[in-house]
Amino acid sequence: MSTISEIFRLITKKATNTISLNPTIELEKQLSQQIYNALQGDVVNEILSQLTDSGSDTWWRSNMEGHSLKVEKELLPDMYRLCQSVKETLNFTEPVDFYITGDSMVNAFSVASEKEGVPHIVNINSGLMELMTKEELRFVIGHELGHLINRDTALARLINFVFPEDSHAPITLQYKIRLHSQLAELVADRYGYMATGDLEACVTAFFKMASGLDLLKMNVSIEALLEDNLKHLEYFLNDKGLSRATHPVNPIRVQAINLFARSESQEELEQGMEQLISILLKVGNDEQDEYLARFIATAGLIVANTDEEVTKEEIDAIVEHLAALKIFPMAFLEEISQGDVPAIFKDAVEHLMEINPGLREGMFNYMINIVISNHNITKEELELLNSFGASVGFSNIEIANMMASAIQLTFVPSLDAIS
């Protein structure tokens, strides 16, 4: 994993021609396929193909044709040539209609068509047009075309169909969808760089979008911008900052494009990206969350192993709780299981009791839930619960009351026991 000093060293390296480097990010591709499979993409798309036109293409086309200015060769020849040049540079042959919308927001977006042969849409707000140089516009246009090349919109449409606005995906799926969206932005940024080959234009475009200012006119150098960005990046690298929006925070995006431009090999690029992606993997933002995740994993494993028969129901219950704290809960559970589980459990409990003693009731109830998740309660499990309850300061009557309440509320006997 790269250190701060290694990242800083890359700032001073001359940007190289990275057309030969792979613009994709392996984790983004894995997540895309995983989300697609989880949502039964093949089946859902087959069903949707039998339905009538959703009207999405018509709505977008009507909106753009009626309220925006289409970039036509005869009307806006310079802008038309610029857009077509970026398409050719990225070897994107599918039809695209480009538009400019009167909007002061420094923003742009792309919309993939639903049907083959129907032009995709790329829109650039007038606020962005007024602020950006020609090379910065190449970066922005390349970024939006990158989304079309990477097929991000098709997955987004599937997600929005299965989980409309008034419904919610399971929390672990929500985290993965967000992470995929963030990684897809970094991939699109790489296409943006490939469209211009000018790192300075990419970096200044980011800062212009963030501040609304033309920093080069204020005599701010590209190296000064990158060094300043690194200071902000340190906040996120030091386990403090979170990146929870659909787009990664700018310090990550700027450094990611800097790595893509200056790395001399795919290996160097991927090593540099590890630490940046680790920021995106964070769900919790304090020490308590990490110890709580360790407690959930180890307590669940200890309880599940009490009867020497770990069931799928028990593992599912552990993973379900971990999903609120880890984007890849099963991988985290497997990693914990390879360590000294009792020692990790003891350390997590001690730290949690020191950080927030008020968590003890929730911790105890979690262990009860794991006990009854397999529809069976053994004497050994009761002894374990009594021992843990006493260790965190509960009296015998408090322990009995909590167990009785949990059994009344959630215990369901096994069908095997009554068949």
Side-chain angles (χ1 to χ4, degrees), residues 19-90:
I19 299 299
S20 61
L21 293 184
N22 189 345
T24 63
I25 296 176
E26 185 60 32
L27 180 57
E28 184 271 331
K29 283 190 166 298
Q30 292 174 3
L31 284 170
S32 177
Q33 191 62 52
Q34 191 176 97
I35 294 168
Y36 183 87
N37 292 340
L39 299 185
Q40 300 289 290
D42 288 344
V43 175
V44 173
N45 284 332
E46 176 63 26
I47 294 171
L48 292 177
S49 69
Q50 305 302 315
L51 301 178
T52 57
D53 192 337
S54 71
S56 176
D57 280 343
T58 302
W59 186 90
W60 275 109
R61 189 70 54 188
S62 299
N63 189 58
M64 303 309 297
E65 291 285 339
H67 301 285
S68 304
L69 183 64
K70 189 174 182 179
V71 179
E72 302 275 20
K73 184 176 182 180
E74 297 77 13
L75 184 64
L76 298 170
D78 290 344
M79 187 62 184
Y80 179 85
R81 284 192 294 270
L82 177 64
C83 293
Q84 297 306 313
S85 173
V86 173
K87 271 193 68 182
E88 291 172 8
T89 299
L90 297 179

Side-chain angles (χ1 to χ4, degrees), residues 110-231:
S110 58
V111 181
S113 62
E114 288 186 329
K115 293 184 177 180
E116 186 176 351
V118 176
H120 305 296
I121 290 171
V122 169
N123 176 77
I124 303 170
N125 286 351
S126 58
L128 186 147
M129 288 283 298
E130 294 173 359
L131 191 60
M132 299 291 175
T133 66
K134 179 180 177 180
E135 289 306 311
E136 290 166 347
L137 281 174
R138 289 186 68 91
F139 168 72
V140 172
I141 295 168
H143 172 97
E144 297 306 332
L145 290 177
H147 280 304
L148 300 176
I149 295 169
N150 204 43
R151 306 295 181 187
D152 302 327
T153 307
L155 182 63
R157 281 190 171 134
L158 175 65
I159 293 168
N160 291 333
F161 176 80
V162 178
F163 297 105
E165 292 182 5
D166 59 349
S167 64
H168 299 285
I171 187 68
T172 186
L173 186 56
Q174 289 182 42
Y175 287 155
K176 289 186 177 181
I177 290 171
R178 185 187 71 200
L179 177 59
H180 173 265
S181 177
Q182 293 176 326
L183 293 173
E185 289 299 323
L186 298 183
V187 171
D189 286 344
R190 292 178 175 186
Y191 281 103
Y193 173 76
M194 290 166 63
T196 177
D198 186 338
L199 175 60
E200 181 172 317
C202 301
V203 173
T204 53
F206 279 124
F207 281 95
K208 284 182 179 181
M209 286 187 283
S211 68
L213 300 174
D214 189 341
L215 298 182
L216 290 184
K217 288 183 179 179
M218 302 170 68
N219 295 319
V220 179
S221 71
I222 181 66
E223 302 306 331
L225 288 175
L226 289 171
E227 288 185 29
D228 181 71
N229 186 75
L230 186 57
K231 294 176 184 177

Side-chain angles (χ1 to χ4, degrees), residues 299-317:
L301 290 171
I302 290 170
V303 171
N305 278 286
T306 300
D307 56 7
E308 299 182 351
E309 185 181 353
V310 181
T311 66
K312 182 179 183 301
E313 290 83 1
E314 289 170 327
I315 294 299
D316 287 347

Side-chain angles (χ1 to χ4, degrees), residues 1 17 43 84 108 122 131 135 137 149 155 164 248 257 271 277 282 292 316 340 344 352 364 375 377 399 418:
M1 182 175 292
N17 184 351
V43 175
Q84 297 306 313
V122 169
L131 191 60
E135 289 306 311
L137 281 174
I149 295 169
L155 182 63
I257 201 68
Q271 287 178 349
I277 292 176
K282 287 193 298 182
L292 191 56
D316 287 347
D340 188 339
I344 299 172
L352 289 172
F364 186 79
H375 313 289
I377 305 172
I399 294 170
I418 57 178

Side-chain angles (χ1 to χ4, degrees), residues 238-275:
N238 291 331
D239 295 325
K240 294 179 180 179
L242 292 173
S243 183
R244 286 179 167 173
T246 56
H247 288 47
V249 292
N250 274 348
I252 294 175
R253 294 182 69 180
V254 170
Q255 184 56 29
I257 201 68
N258 183 44
L259 286 168
F260 187 68
R262 303 193 193 233
S263 295
E264 297 176 351
S265 67
Q266 197 72 34
E267 181 181 10
E268 183 180 11
L269 172 62
E270 291 173 0
Q271 287 178 349
M273 288 296 297
E274 283 183 17
Q275 212 167 31

